[in-house]
Amino acid sequence: MEDDDLQLSASTLSALQEFMQEKDAREKRFEELKAQAEEEKRERDKLSTTVVTMEDFEADWQVSQFWYDDETSQALAEELVAGAGEDTNVVLVSAPR
């Protein structure tokens, strides 16, 4: 018997084809996600070219600042998290203790 005479059974060939289709679909999905991540990085990089300094912000000297005890800080943090969505960015500029 020569190598040319060897054949897979129909069920084995079908299983192999299904496996290869799933593999191709996973590779395609990976490439799509990679392209999306690269595009999002390019967009973030565009935004990050702007230099922001303290001179860009004007202080309102009529506004008082309050430093909170641990209990109040925890309550405020919980409210912040409860109101935050998936796309919410939270930045703490100053939080002395």
Side-chain angles (χ1 to χ4, degrees):
M1 177 187 253
E2 295 184 26
D3 288 340
D4 293 353
D5 297 331
L6 297 177
Q7 293 185 5
L8 296 175
S9 68
S11 62
T12 302
L13 184 57
S14 176
L16 178 60
Q17 289 172 337
E18 182 179 344
F19 170 79
M20 295 304 289
Q21 288 172 347
E22 290 172 0
K23 179 180 170 278
D24 290 343
R26 282 191 306 273
E27 287 174 356
K28 180 181 178 191
R29 179 69 178 144
F30 175 80
E31 290 301 321
E32 290 170 351
L33 291 171
K34 180 181 173 188
Q36 179 183 348
E38 288 171 346
E39 178 62 27
E40 289 172 2
K41 182 181 183 316
R42 280 192 293 277
E43 290 299 317
R44 281 193 311 273
D45 288 347
K46 284 181 194 175
L47 295 174
S48 68
T49 60
T50 303
V51 177
V52 179
T53 66
M54 288 307 296
E55 286 77 31
D56 295 317
F57 300 93
E58 183 178 328
D60 182 350
W61 299 106
Q62 300 300 314
V63 179
S64 298
Q65 295 182 355
F66 299 94
W67 310 122
Y68 302 106
D69 62 18
D70 288 343
E71 182 180 340
T72 304
S73 297
Q74 183 67 35
L76 291 171
E78 289 171 5
E79 286 297 317
L80 179 68
V81 170
E86 185 176 316
D87 295 326
T88 301
N89 293 318
V90 177
V91 177
L92 298 176
V93 176
S94 178
R97 186 164 185 220

